[in-house]
Amino acid sequence: MADCLFCAIAAGEIPAALVAESAQCIAFRDINPQAPTHVLVVPRQHYADAAALTAGDPALAADWLAEVSRVAAELGLADAGYRIVINTGDDGGQTVRHVHAHVLGGRAMGWPPG
Ligand code: 5GP
Ligand code: ZN
């Protein structure tokens, strides 16, 4: 999709600190980390948000969630735990309208979020 930051990163047109790649997804470090480990896991195919992805390609949605778990384990977060965040829409704080999961770890997370 034109003018989409994460499509451009997935295509290699904009550099990012990649931590994992699969046929369907990429994972790279967030440029403004909110935890000692903060990685974004992104389907290569453009969908605006999780609702569009699950409606449009449920198999890809499942692959994406599995990739989140794989990446968290590869980053050494599985034992201590981590948080998966999927911001959706304006009130959800979604600033990039290409579906992505934040994987946050390396410190204890409070609840509820601020
Ligand atoms: P959202 O607010 O849409 O849930 O998350 C978008 C995330 O993308 C933010 O955490 C922001 O720091 C990150 N981000 C924005 N621009 C870039 C970029 O150019 N490179 C990387 N690696 N992350 C970015
Ligand atoms: Zn996109």
Side-chain angles (χ1 to χ4, degrees), residues 4 7 46 98:
C4 171
C7 281
H46 183 93
H98 179 137

Side-chain angles (χ1 to χ4, degrees), residues 16-80:
L18 292 182
V19 299
E21 284 192 272
S22 69
Q24 309 268 39
C25 298
I26 59 168
F28 53 90
R29 296 198 186 272
D30 196 292
I31 206 167
N32 183 23
Q34 302 301 312
T37 299
H38 185 172
V39 167
L40 303 173
V41 182
V42 181
R44 295 178 184 277
Q45 183 75 36
H46 183 93
Y47 288 95
D49 57 26
L53 171 59
T54 53
D57 191 341
L60 177 58
D63 186 271
W64 171 55
L65 189 54
E67 186 67 11
V68 166
S69 302
R70 266 195 299 276
V71 165
E74 279 173 19
L75 293 168
L77 301 176
D79 287 347

Side-chain angles (χ1 to χ4, degrees), residues 58-103:
L60 177 58
D63 186 271
W64 171 55
L65 189 54
E67 186 67 11
V68 166
S69 302
R70 266 195 299 276
V71 165
E74 279 173 19
L75 293 168
L77 301 176
D79 287 347
Y82 54 92
R83 181 165 293 172
I84 304 165
V85 174
I86 306 168
N87 294 329
T88 304
D90 290 338
D91 280 359
Q94 185 181 8
T95 59
V96 178
R97 299 301 174 110
H98 179 137
V99 63
H100 53 281
H102 298 254
V103 178

